[in-house]
């Protein structure tokens, strides 16, 4: 790694005493869905917004402007952005237990086209002049009224963080963003704007710097940009969680974050992992049972130091398996109504959800919310929720339950260590402090209707607060033991 990334900005504690509503939005486990195909259009989701044979955003807007002109194109796009979601959608999501949505945006949307100079979208900035305000008026603000948090996903970067159609600029091209200094400089400015302009909204849960970055061989091209963007955001907002793509290699970024922030510190970062098992050749060669069984070993497993200190989220996942997988399972790939297929899908989805909750609890977002056709099958959140998977319920533990568990575990801790070394002057109050810190936070979040998501950031905050009040002495490990024990017990309950 280069020296350029050795200086890492810290973040405010994820939680204080008392915990604020803004902190709950930013630290809870936000469960929900991507609003795919809106601001970054994708033809397979809403094909009628693509004139002729166009395949991605840039092609579509260029042809539309050529065919009907700037004003008519802009009006049509504004109607599409506004009509995509209604108050009934927000009400439905809230009623289904959705606590967060991830909204993919193009760099051309930021500030209504303020950051397109020198890019392929420069000629079309007028089309997007109201898109940023529509994002706020029709998405962020209504979501807040339904207790739903927003992950602001800067999905498409100039030149592309990847070469796919979802970059907005190309399909099957190269990821030019990582080698273009001009584009990176532009996006550092854009990220500063995003942080400043959205600072007043409590329900912004995170800002995502890049979607599905491709591996450049070394992680330096990505991390050098990430550090610059992080610093720009931190100049404005010292507490907003910042999300980075794992470039399909989570452990590289786990190690990087661990090294940069140091032991028991927190830079306020979240790593974005995507879980798809319907694209790679290795997955196409497996049956549905094989794919499901392999999740235990191939999903976020073997992380350095078990991922200590690093929060991870699932930015995209789905219930979809490829037709070749269904054929290897002994099913007709076109028999979408098969009860056997539904059973396999449910097993696959529920296995994923169980592992996500253990290994990537920060947030979990399904791909995707809705389709022009009204039924996206196993890609369709509204079709699959409460059919193939459910969100975990939240219960508030009782005071009596806490008393029993705490007394049991505290006494077992004391007895063990006094037996191990009866002459040692332990600091068992640290165990008690750790246990109560974890329990009280989970109870607070549960009373607010959610689970703790950013477990690593919250633990880091409580650890530093404990040091400030109790001091640094030999037996800090007792605090850690108490905290982890409570975490284990309360997670089982909630």
């Amino acid at each position: 790694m280069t020296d350029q990334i050795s200086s890492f900005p810290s973040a405010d504690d994820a939680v204080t005493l008392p915990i604020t509503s803004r902190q709950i939005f930013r630290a809870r486990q936000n469960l929900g869905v991507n609003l795919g195909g809106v601001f970054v259009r994708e033809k397979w989701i809403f094909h009628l917004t693509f004139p002729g044979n166009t395949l991605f955003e840039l092609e579509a807007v260029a042809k539309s402007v050529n065919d009907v002109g700037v004003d008519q194109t802009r009006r049509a796009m504004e109607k599409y952005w506004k009509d995509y979601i209604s108050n009934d959608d927000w009400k439905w999501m809230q009623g289904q237990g959705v606590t967060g949505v991830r909204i993919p945006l193009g760099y051309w949307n930021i500030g209504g086209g303020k950051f397109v100079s020198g890019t392929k979208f420069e000629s079309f900035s007028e089309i997007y002049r109201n898109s940023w305000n529509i994002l706020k008026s029709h998405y962020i603000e209504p979501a807040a009224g339904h207790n739903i948090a927003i992950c602001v996903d800067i999905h498409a970067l100039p030149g592309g963080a990847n070469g796919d159609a979802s970059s907005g600029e190309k399909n099957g091209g190269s990821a030019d963003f990582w080698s273009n200094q001009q584009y990176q400089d532009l996006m550092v400015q854009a990220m500063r704007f995003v942080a400043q302009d959205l600072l007043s909204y409590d329900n912004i849960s995170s800002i995502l710097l890049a979607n599905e970055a491709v591996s450049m061989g070394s992680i330096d091209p990505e991390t050098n940009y990430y550090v610059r963007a992080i610093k720009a955001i931190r100049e404005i907002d010292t507490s907003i969680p910042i999300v980075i793509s794992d470039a399909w290699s989570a452990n590289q970024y786990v190690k990087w974050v661990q090294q940069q922030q140091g032991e028991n510190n927190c830079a306020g970062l979240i790593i974005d992992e995507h879980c798809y098992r319907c694209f790679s050749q290795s997955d196409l060669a497996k049956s549905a049972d094989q794919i499901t069984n392999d999740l235990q070993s191939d999903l976020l497993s073997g992380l350095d130091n078990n991922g200590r200190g690093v929060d991870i989220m699932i930015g995209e996942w789905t219930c979809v398996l490829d037709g070749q997988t269904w054929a290897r399972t002994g099913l007709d790939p076109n028999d979408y109504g098969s009860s056997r297929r539904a059973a396999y899908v449910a097993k696959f989805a529920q296995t994923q959800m169980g592992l996500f909750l253990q290994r990537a609890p920060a947030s979990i977002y399904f791909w995707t919310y809705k389709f022009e056709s009204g039924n996206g099958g196993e890609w369709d959140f509204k079709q699959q929720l409460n059919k193939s998977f459910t969100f975990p319920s939240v219960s508030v533990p009782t005071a009596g339950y806490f008393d029993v568990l705490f007394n049991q575990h505290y006494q077992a801790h004391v007895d063990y260590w006094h037996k191990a070394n009866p002459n040692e002057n332990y600091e068992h109050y640290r165990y008690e402090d750790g246990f109560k810190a974890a329990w009280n936070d989970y109870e607070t979040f549960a009373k607010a209707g959610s689970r703790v998501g950013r477990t690593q950031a919250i633990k880091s905050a409580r650890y530093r607060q404990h040091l400030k009040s109790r001091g640094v002495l030999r037996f800090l490990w007792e605090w850690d033991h108490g905290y982890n024990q409570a975490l284990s017990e309360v997670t089982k309950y909630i």
Side-chain angles (χ1 to χ4, degrees), residues 107-181:
Y107 69 92
W108 52 86
N109 298 120
I110 300 173
K114 288 183 183 293
F115 300 94
V116 295
S117 178
T119 74
K120 294 178 180 179
F121 275 87
E122 184 171 8
S123 301
F124 305 107
S125 60
E126 172 65 16
I127 306 301
Y128 302 98
R129 73 181 189 194
N130 294 319
S131 61
W132 189 252
N133 287 333
I134 290 171
L135 167 71
K136 293 189 284 188
S137 64
H138 285 68
Y139 293 82
I140 296 173
E141 292 166 12
H146 292 85
N147 195 33
I148 293 174
I150 302 292
C151 169
V152 179
D153 165 17
I154 309 303
H155 204 77
L157 301 178
N162 56 63
D164 299 331
S166 60
S167 74
E169 291 190 355
K170 62 195 77 176
N171 187 28
S174 58
D176 298 333
F177 177 79
W178 305 113
S179 59
N180 190 308
Q181 191 67 45

Side-chain angles (χ1 to χ4, degrees), residues 51-52 62-69 73:
K63 180 166 177 51
S64 181
V65 168
N66 183 69
D67 290 349
V68 302
T73 298

Side-chain angles (χ1 to χ4, degrees), residues 13 60 64 90 188 244 251 276 348 373:
D13 284 347
S64 181
W90 294 115
V188 169
I244 61 174
N251 198 43
Y276 291 117
F348 174 52
S373 64

Side-chain angles (χ1 to χ4, degrees), residues 243-280:
V243 186
I244 61 174
S245 169
D246 70 359
W248 308 101
S249 183
N251 198 43
Q252 285 193 88
Y253 288 88
V254 166
K255 289 191 289 185
W256 180 71
V257 173
Q258 288 171 336
Q259 291 165 1
Q260 298 306 310
Q261 68 184 9
E263 186 73 14
N264 296 317
N265 294 318
C266 181
L269 300 188
I270 302 172
I271 292 176
D272 184 25
E273 165 82 354
H274 293 181
C275 185
Y276 291 117
R277 296 295 184 267
C278 54
F279 296 127
S280 73

Side-chain angles (χ1 to χ4, degrees), residues 152-227:
V152 179
D153 165 17
I154 309 303
H155 204 77
L157 301 178
N162 56 63
D164 299 331
S166 60
S167 74
E169 291 190 355
K170 62 195 77 176
N171 187 28
S174 58
D176 298 333
F177 177 79
W178 305 113
S179 59
N180 190 308
Q181 191 67 45
Q182 177 189 348
Y183 288 164
Q184 292 181 26
D185 291 346
L186 184 68
M187 289 310 297
V188 169
Q189 297 175 37
M191 291 303 179
R192 184 180 289 109
F193 172 87
V194 170
Q196 182 66 68
D197 199 61
L198 301 182
L199 186 60
S200 64
Y201 292 105
D202 284 349
N203 68 318
I204 301 299
S205 62
S206 57
I207 299 171
L208 194 154
L209 302 182
N211 174 67
E212 293 187 354
V214 297
S215 174
M216 304 299 289
S218 161
I219 69 170
D220 286 355
E222 287 96 341
T223 56
N224 289 340
Y225 167 70
Y226 289 157
V227 167

